[in-house]
Amino acid sequence: MSVAIENFVKAIYKNGKRDNNDTKPGNIAKELGISNAAATDMAKKLATKDLLNYEKYQPLQLTKKGTKMALLVIRKHRLWEALLFKMFDMSLHDIHREAELLEHQTSDFLANKISEYLGNPKFDPHGDPIPNSNGEITTKDTSVQLSNVQEGKSYIISRLMSDDKEFFDFCALNGLKYGNTLVVSKQFSNNKMTQILINNNTIVLNQDFTSIIYVNENH
Amino acid sequence: MSVAIENFVKAIYKNGKRDNNDTKPGNIAKELGISNAAATDMAKKLATKDLLNYEKYQPLQLTKKGTKMALLVIRKHRLWEALLFKMFDMSLHDIHREAELLEHQTSDFLANKISEYLGNPKFDPHGDPIPNSNGEITTKDTSVQLSNVQEGKSYIISRLMSDDKEFFDFCALNGLKYGNTLVVSKQFSNNKMTQILINNNTIVLNQDFTSIIYVNENH
DNA sequence: ATTAATTTTTAAGTAAGCTTAAAAAATTTT
DNA sequence: AAAATTTTTTAAGCTTACTTAAAAATTAAT
């Protein structure tokens, strides 16, 4: 299967999770930076390969086979991120960029070697779960978006769900890092803004950021 | 530049070295598993990009720019081989196969990180020299083919120049490994066959093998 | 030095993965 | 509910990297 196909099923999987199953061609096209027409074309093609179900004007739905393909690509991506992060002094954004390419050129055999070397980690450096070699995610995610938390409580950052350099630069600067602790000091105007205390600094985040930072309550 | 282009200049570079500059389209086509027509087409195209000089019916000659591109791809290939060989328990053939794909999806930045991590090695696990980040090979090669050595002398294996699984399996079985010592006990019929003593075993190699095993005299 | 064989080139054609433009359908706004 | 907007689909076309088939040139054999 080609890189284009792998990226296509991956985009459907990711957008499905993120945008509450808005997996219509336009949404996927945007994610991939291609035209809507190209997305429709590709959807039809992948339907003939039993990777997804296609019905005109309906959201695209991955089949079992398509989902497995997506998860195996995501597995390779996250394993590469984990490996590069551990071995080299590289930013989250940089490891993402490299993994984005390497993921398509990695045999299952090599992926397993990397996993084994790392001690079969369950999460990558963003806190995203790493699917196993059968394309299954066995960990269950109890984290919530930082936009959805309660004032006054303490939380542990569990996930930074982004590909964006600006965001990661901001995170690096402010101690927003997988595993770190923060306290929510105030929620403003319907959770559009969130004030947190982290590393003895008070910062205010808007929803662009609080919707992609996931946390678990700190008991 | 595309994968096809990177592989094309790499093939010219490698065949130029190996086959005494027989870099006519047919030879490159064979190396890449494409038709002669495709090789001619690509050659013309790359000439317009100043990667090679093309004259009808003449061998293809890489320009400075083309040579540098080839060497930077080869650099990435050999760095990946060195890394995978060091970190994971993988055969020479397996690391080659993985590196063949990874080489095209590796930024210069990452290549430098890998090199640094490995202590800027000058040779890969086959004994092949690793070009530096400017695409230059600074080590000078004094090794000779095992088909060209003298009876009775002792040599150190410096290079196993192959991509072939059969060959590597044979090497692994018989202790033919980069850095190991062997003694040439006999040359037969115009060097078509060579008898060597290695690891207390006597084995006879034909020219298919002795022409791709390089050695340095053991002083 | 011809003839035969091989290689290279040209020409025409294909598949993948895109594009833009316009038509059709769905969705949103008023 | 009708009109306006947006999205999806269809259609036609493009580029890359190939292919096969046949013509032209080179190389090898007798």
Side-chain angles (χ1 to χ4, degrees):
Chain A
M1 294 292 175
S2 68
V3 172
I5 292 176
E6 288 189 349
N7 279 330
F8 201 84
V9 296
K10 192 177 77 162
I12 296 173
Y13 182 88
K14 288 180 73 176
N15 281 28
K17 288 262 154 179
R18 169 158 23 90
D19 300 341
N20 207 43
N21 270 62
D22 180 7
T23 53
K24 289 207 189 134
N27 198 15
I28 306 306
K30 207 176 203 173
E31 169 92 13
L32 295 172
I34 61 177
S35 69
N36 287 8
T40 298
D41 264 16
M42 184 62 103
K44 281 182 183 172
K45 187 173 126 189
L46 297 198
T48 71
K49 292 185 192 287
D50 189 32
L51 290 168
L52 55 81
N53 297 127
Y54 175 71
E55 272 190 89
K56 273 192 184 187
Y57 303 104
Q58 293 311 117
L60 307 178
Q61 291 190 300
L62 291 178
T63 59
K64 204 168 172 183
K65 185 176 164 193
T67 304
K68 183 171 180 180
M69 178 185 283
L71 282 164
L72 287 178
V73 175
I74 289 171
R75 166 177 168 79
K76 288 167 188 175
H77 180 99
R78 293 179 181 167
L79 284 170
W80 275 119
E81 287 200 338
L83 188 73
L84 299 181
F85 192 73
K86 178 176 179 173
M87 297 188 59
F88 309 127
D89 181 31
M90 285 169 69
S91 71
L92 286 184
H93 180 256
D94 282 342
I95 61 173
H96 175 81
R97 224 180 44 223
E98 303 287 346
E100 202 66 12
L101 297 176
L102 297 174
E103 64 186 12
H104 305 292
Q105 309 299 336
T106 309
S107 67
D108 292 342
F109 177 74
L110 178 56
N112 292 342
K113 286 284 182 187
I114 296 172
S115 179
E116 196 187 330
Y117 175 83
L118 294 167
N120 298 310
K122 298 278 189 203
F123 300 96
D124 76 8
H126 301 92
D128 294 326
I130 300 176
N132 68 20
S133 58
N134 292 316
E136 297 153 350
I137 294 177
T138 55
T139 50
K140 102 173 132 204
D141 189 4
T142 60
S143 63
V144 293
Q145 291 171 309
L146 188 52
S147 53
N148 276 354
V149 296
Q150 293 176 284
E151 249 179 56
K153 288 198 173 162
S154 171
Y155 295 90
I156 293 171
I157 298 170
S158 66
R159 220 162 157 182
L160 302 170
M161 209 184 234
S162 174
D163 311 339
D164 185 50
K165 175 156 170 45
E166 300 278 310
F167 175 67
F168 287 133
D169 286 350
F170 176 84
C171 289
L173 204 65
N174 291 285
L176 288 161
K177 195 175 145 187
Y178 178 55
N180 279 10
T181 300
L182 60 84
V183 174
V184 175
S185 39
K186 202 151 177 49
Q187 291 277 23
F188 295 101
S189 49
N190 223 31
N191 294 11
K192 289 269 183 290
M193 308 282 277
T194 304
Q195 188 183 93
I196 64 171
L197 188 68
I198 184 163
N199 283 359
N200 289 322
N201 280 106
T202 297
I203 54 180
V204 178
L205 303 169
N206 75 8
Q207 205 164 24
D208 286 352
F209 282 8
T210 57
S211 65
I212 57 178
I213 298 171
Y214 286 71
V215 296
N216 277 306
E217 211 172 324
N218 190 6
H219 294 292
Chain B
M1 295 291 175
S2 68
V3 173
I5 292 176
E6 288 189 349
N7 278 330
F8 202 85
V9 295
K10 192 177 77 161
I12 296 173
Y13 182 87
K14 289 179 73 176
N15 281 30
K17 288 263 155 176
R18 170 157 22 92
D19 300 341
N20 207 45
N21 269 62
D22 180 6
T23 52
K24 289 206 189 139
N27 197 14
I28 306 305
K30 207 177 202 174
E31 169 92 12
L32 294 172
I34 61 177
S35 68
N36 287 8
T40 299
D41 264 16
M42 184 62 104
K44 280 181 183 172
K45 187 172 124 189
L46 297 197
T48 71
K49 292 185 193 285
D50 189 31
L51 290 168
L52 54 80
N53 298 126
Y54 175 72
E55 273 190 88
K56 274 192 185 187
Y57 302 103
Q58 293 312 118
L60 307 178
Q61 290 190 303
L62 291 177
T63 60
K64 204 168 172 182
K65 185 177 164 194
T67 304
K68 184 171 180 180
M69 176 184 286
L71 282 164
L72 286 178
V73 174
I74 289 170
R75 166 177 168 80
K76 288 167 187 174
H77 181 99
R78 292 179 181 169
L79 283 171
W80 275 118
E81 287 201 337
L83 188 73
L84 299 182
F85 191 73
K86 178 175 179 175
M87 299 188 59
F88 309 127
D89 182 31
M90 287 169 67
S91 70
L92 287 184
H93 180 256
D94 282 341
I95 61 173
H96 175 80
R97 224 178 47 223
E98 303 287 348
E100 202 67 10
L101 298 176
L102 297 173
E103 65 186 11
H104 305 293
Q105 309 300 336
T106 309
S107 68
D108 291 342
F109 177 74
L110 178 56
N112 291 342
K113 287 284 183 186
I114 296 172
S115 179
E116 198 187 328
Y117 174 83
L118 295 168
N120 298 310
K122 299 277 189 206
F123 299 96
D124 77 7
H126 301 93
D128 293 327
I130 300 176
N132 68 20
S133 58
N134 292 317
E136 297 153 349
I137 294 177
T138 55
T139 49
K140 103 174 132 203
D141 188 5
T142 58
S143 63
V144 292
Q145 292 171 309
L146 187 52
S147 52
N148 277 354
V149 297
Q150 294 175 283
E151 250 179 54
K153 286 198 173 162
S154 172
Y155 295 90
I156 293 171
I157 298 170
S158 65
R159 219 163 161 184
L160 302 170
M161 210 185 234
S162 174
D163 313 337
D164 185 49
K165 177 156 169 45
E166 301 277 309
F167 174 68
F168 288 134
D169 286 350
F170 176 84
C171 288
L173 203 67
N174 291 284
L176 287 160
K177 195 176 145 185
Y178 177 55
N180 279 10
T181 301
L182 60 83
V183 174
V184 175
S185 39
K186 201 150 178 52
Q187 292 276 23
F188 294 100
S189 47
N190 223 30
N191 295 9
K192 289 269 181 291
M193 307 284 277
T194 304
Q195 188 184 95
I196 64 171
L197 187 68
I198 185 164
N199 283 358
N200 289 324
N201 279 106
T202 297
I203 55 180
V204 178
L205 303 169
N206 75 9
Q207 204 163 24
D208 286 352
F209 283 7
T210 56
S211 64
I212 57 179
I213 297 170
Y214 286 71
V215 295
N216 278 306
E217 210 171 327
N218 191 8
H219 293 294

